[in-house]
Amino acid sequence: MAIAPNKKDAKDEAEVARAPRKKSNKKLFVTIAIAVLALLVAGAGAYYFLVYRSSGSAAESKPVVQIFVPLEVFTVNLRPESGDSQQYLQAILSLQVPSEKDAQALKDRMPEVRNRILFILSAKSASEVSTLDGKVNLTSEIINALKKPFMGSESEQELTGAYFTSFIVQ
């Protein structure tokens, strides 16, 4: 025998079917938690790159203090060219070194420094040192000669530049 459905039960089932189900707050909570976590990670990364990286590069980007060691006047006879009368070179140089220690090492060896430069200058002719390229090559040659170890020393000199402050060919 079949039991007839109760009108009251059918009415309750229809109301339950029509009534919207409550959405789960759990899904919303997980989404918010993931978003907050992503913001925290991004903030920590930004802080690391802006604070730690910038403080490290600030130490590296400090300007390097260069020391200049002025040398006395050089006056040398230039190598004679065919048919030319004797010509002279008068030059004043300043050497650039990275530290006071290197400047003192050059000052302590000044006779040897001057000797090397005099040998280089006196081996040149007027036509070799009169052009811009000739002066640049002369500067490079002086730097390379002075970087070599001095007598009784095994280490090379730290030399970052050589600059003419006066240059007269006569």
Side-chain angles (χ1 to χ4, degrees), residues 60-130:
E60 294 170 6
S61 67
K62 286 182 183 175
V64 177
V65 177
Q66 294 291 321
I67 310 297
F68 291 93
V69 179
L71 302 179
E72 293 179 22
V73 177
F74 291 91
T75 304
V76 297
N77 294 329
L78 293 173
R79 192 181 71 212
E81 297 181 87
S82 63
D84 285 345
S85 61
Q86 185 62 49
Q87 291 187 304
Y88 303 96
L89 169 65
Q90 183 181 26
I92 301 174
L93 278 162
S94 289
L95 302 175
Q96 185 179 17
V97 293
S99 70
E100 284 290 339
K101 178 184 149 200
D102 295 317
Q104 190 59 45
L106 279 178
K107 289 175 186 175
D108 292 344
R109 299 291 192 145
M110 192 54 67
E112 204 169 347
V113 169
R114 289 188 57 81
N115 184 56
R116 288 183 184 185
I117 294 172
L118 282 170
F119 281 177
I120 292 169
L121 293 176
S122 62
K124 301 295 178 188
S125 66
S127 62
E128 289 177 308
V129 297
S130 294

Side-chain angles (χ1 to χ4, degrees), residues 21-78:
R21 292 186 174 189
K22 289 186 177 180
K23 290 187 178 179
S24 173
N25 284 339
K26 186 176 182 181
K27 191 174 188 180
L28 179 64
F29 178 73
V30 169
T31 305
I32 291 173
I34 289 174
V36 168
L37 185 63
L39 286 174
L40 286 174
V41 169
Y47 178 79
Y48 173 76
F49 281 108
L50 294 175
V51 173
Y52 287 110
R53 292 288 184 161
S54 66
S55 66
S57 65
E60 294 170 6
S61 67
K62 286 182 183 175
V64 177
V65 177
Q66 294 291 321
I67 310 297
F68 291 93
V69 179
L71 302 179
E72 293 179 22
V73 177
F74 291 91
T75 304
V76 297
N77 294 329
L78 293 173

